[in-house]
Every structure is written in structure tokens, then in C-alpha cells.
Amino acid sequence: MKRYIKEIIIIIIQLFMFYIFPLFAGPTDAMGMVLLILIITFILSVIIASISKEKIKYLYPLIVAIVFIPSVWIYYNESALIHSIWYLVDSALACAIGTIIFKLSTKIK
């Protein structure tokens, strides 16, 4: 468990963005909130892929998509289910970029 501490911290931050952050957004801020969460997901995915040496980082996009689904019924409606696919694609692309950064940084050292 101790070796996954970086990954757990990033997943907790992601959970905060999905479940706590929407509490502070107003009803008219929905599109901006979705865009902000999408950008934060991208950044967190790049970070997890660039700092983690564990294989769990390749499951992170799937974890993000699955973790978002319950928030659809808490804060949004069923039409927001498509956003889980956007989060999956966004975090998969960011993980690929982060993995490239990780490989380039280890090659330089």
C-alpha cells in the first residue's frame, strides 16, 4: 500500500474534483465546471503518468471514467453520462503524454 501512495493521493484529488467541487458551482456554471474538471483530469493524468513507476497508472483512465459515473446521478442527469467517455479519452491521452515525458526524463538521466 505504501508504494502506491502517489497514485492514491492523485485519485483522492480526482475524487474531490468530481464530488466536492460541484457543490460550490452554481446552476449556471455547469459548462465551465465540466471544462475545468476536464482540464484538471488532463493535468492529473499527466502527473500520474510522469511520476509513477507502477503499472496502475495505465488503469487510471478507466478508474477516472468509472469514478465519475456515480456523480452523474448525484449532480447531473443521465445526459451527462457521455462525459465519462470524455474523461476516459482525456485521461488516456494525458497518460500517453505523461508516459512519454517519463521515458524522456529517465533517458536523460
Side-chain angles (χ1 to χ4, degrees):
M1 191 70 163
K2 202 170 196 176
R3 68 185 228 190
Y4 294 116
I5 193 73
K6 294 182 279 190
E7 292 84 359
I8 291 171
I9 290 172
I10 291 176
I11 290 172
I12 289 172
I13 294 170
Q14 188 72 54
L15 286 170
F16 174 80
M17 290 305 296
F18 284 154
Y19 293 101
I20 305 298
F21 181 70
L23 291 174
F24 301 108
T28 59
D29 300 335
M31 203 57 194
M33 181 183 57
V34 168
L35 183 64
L36 180 65
I37 292 174
L38 198 62
I39 292 169
I40 296 297
T41 300
F42 186 85
I43 292 169
L44 289 174
S45 299
V46 168
I47 291 171
I48 198 168
S50 61
I51 66 171
S52 177
K53 297 178 186 172
E54 306 297 328
K55 300 286 185 194
I56 195 168
K57 70 181 176 183
Y58 299 115
L59 293 175
Y60 185 73
L62 190 61
I63 292 169
V64 167
I66 291 171
V67 163
F68 175 73
I69 291 173
S71 74
V72 168
W73 286 286
I74 295 172
Y75 298 111
Y76 315 109
N77 57 23
E78 289 142 6
S79 66
L81 275 174
I82 191 71
H83 292 302
S84 66
I85 295 172
W86 286 112
Y87 291 127
L88 176 74
V89 171
D90 182 50
S91 59
L93 178 67
C95 278
I97 292 170
T99 302
I100 292 169
I101 291 170
F102 179 75
K103 298 224 186 244
L104 289 175
S105 68
T106 56
K107 194 180 276 189
I108 291 173
K109 291 179 185 179

